[in-house]
Amino acid sequence: MKLIWSPETASKAYIETVKSCEKFKEFGVAELLSAMAAGWNAKLIVEAWTQGGPIATSIGLAVAARNTGGRHVCIVPDERSRLEYVSAMRNASSSSSPPPPPLPEIAVGEVEATMGGLVGVDFLVVDCKRRDFARVLRLAKASHKGAVFACKNAAWQRNVSGFRWQWALERGTRVVRSVFLPVGRGLDIAHIGSNSGTVALKKGPSRWIKHIDQKSGEEHVFRK
C-alpha cells in the first residue's frame, strides 16, 4: 500500500483553514499543512506542540482530521502546557468564523510515553523549537503505508545544527524524498516510505545531532 493524494480533499481543507485562521499570522504554514494532511487522507495526525507557540497549525490539522475522518492527537510535555493549549484552542474557537473543529486528543507526558502509544502515524508535525524534537522524530511509528513528517521553524535548526532527516529518524527508516520550503520560518518535509516490500536505508555509523535552544542558548547533543 502507499499514500494516495486527493486534490479535492486537500482543497477543501485549505479553504476551511484559511477561513478559520484569518486572524493568525503564521505565513501560510497552517493552510499548507492542513491541505497536505487532508490530501494524503491521513487517519492519524500527530503534532508536538510548543508551549507559547502559535495555535493556527493545530486548527489547520483539526480541520484536516475532520475532512478525513481521522484522529488528531497533540502531545504536550506537562499539565501546564495542556492548560495553555486548551485555553488557546478555545479562544480561537470563540473568535473564528466558521468555528474550528472540536479539540483534538491531548497526550501529556514524556515523549517516550506519549509517542509509544501512537502507532501508525500518517502525518506528523514537530516544532523544531521543542528541546525534544529529535526524540519525537526518532520515536514516531509511521503507518505501514508510509507517512509524511514535517518540521516547523526548521530554517534556524537546519542552518545551525546541519539537520538531516537520515540522521534524525529511527535507523532503517526509508526517506523517499524530502524538501525544504521557505514558508513561515522554514518547513522541512519528508515522505517516509511504506514498510512493505521496500529497501530500508543502509545502516551507517552513529552520528551526533546538535540542537541549540533558541531561548536559553543551551546546547543539546543527541546520538543517532
Side-chain angles (χ1 to χ4, degrees):
M1 295 179 67
K2 63 180 181 178
L3 296 173
I4 299 176
W5 178 256
S6 170
E8 295 82 7
T9 308
S11 178
K12 183 179 179 182
Y14 180 88
I15 293 171
E16 288 182 17
T17 303
V18 169
K19 293 179 179 179
S20 297
C21 298
E22 286 181 334
K23 75 171 188 175
F24 299 106
K25 306 296 181 181
E26 207 172 332
F27 309 105
V29 173
E31 294 86 349
L32 176 58
L33 292 176
S34 177
M36 291 184 65
W40 288 121
N41 194 32
K43 297 301 184 183
L44 177 54
I45 301 171
V46 178
E47 70 169 312
W49 186 70
T50 302
Q51 187 175 1
I55 207 68
T57 295
S58 289
I59 295 174
L61 295 177
V63 168
R66 179 172 62 188
N67 277 273
T68 66
R71 293 173 63 197
H72 172 204
V73 182
C74 179
I75 63 172
V76 296
D78 50 40
E79 183 64 15
R80 181 179 177 182
S81 297
R82 186 191 71 81
L83 293 174
E84 183 178 326
Y85 179 79
V86 170
S87 176
M89 286 292 283
R90 285 177 175 167
N91 288 338
S93 299
S94 63
S95 60
S96 64
S97 179
L103 281 173
E105 301 175 38
I106 303 175
V108 183
E110 293 292 330
V111 173
E112 286 77 7
T114 53
M115 292 301 293
L118 298 171
V119 180
V121 176
D122 295 304
F123 200 87
L124 172 69
V125 178
V126 182
D127 192 334
C128 286
K129 289 184 177 180
R130 285 183 61 123
R131 291 186 178 185
D132 57 1
F133 88 95
R135 281 193 291 155
V136 176
L137 293 172
R138 189 165 60 250
L139 294 170
K141 298 177 176 62
S143 167
H144 62 85
K145 64 183 179 181
V148 174
F149 289 178
C151 289
K152 291 173 46 180
N153 297 309
W156 185 88
Q157 186 62 238
R158 186 183 181 96
N159 293 334
V160 173
S161 67
F163 173 83
R164 295 293 183 273
W165 284 104
Q166 288 85 350
W167 301 354
L169 299 174
E170 181 182 11
R171 191 171 298 177
T173 302
R174 189 173 73 99
V175 179
V176 177
R177 64 180 64 88
S178 63
V179 62
F180 177 82
L181 302 176
V183 181
R185 292 181 173 83
L187 272 177
D188 221 330
I189 302 172
H191 176 192
I192 308 303
S194 65
N195 59 13
S196 56
T198 59
V199 179
L201 289 170
K202 293 181 179 180
K203 295 184 178 181
S206 297
R207 298 179 182 272
W208 292 93
I209 301 173
K210 180 174 69 175
H211 168 56
I212 301 176
D213 188 276
Q214 297 184 55
K215 292 184 178 180
S216 66
E218 295 179 353
E219 181 176 307
H220 306 273
V221 180
F222 306 90
R223 188 167 189 174
K224 180 68 180 78

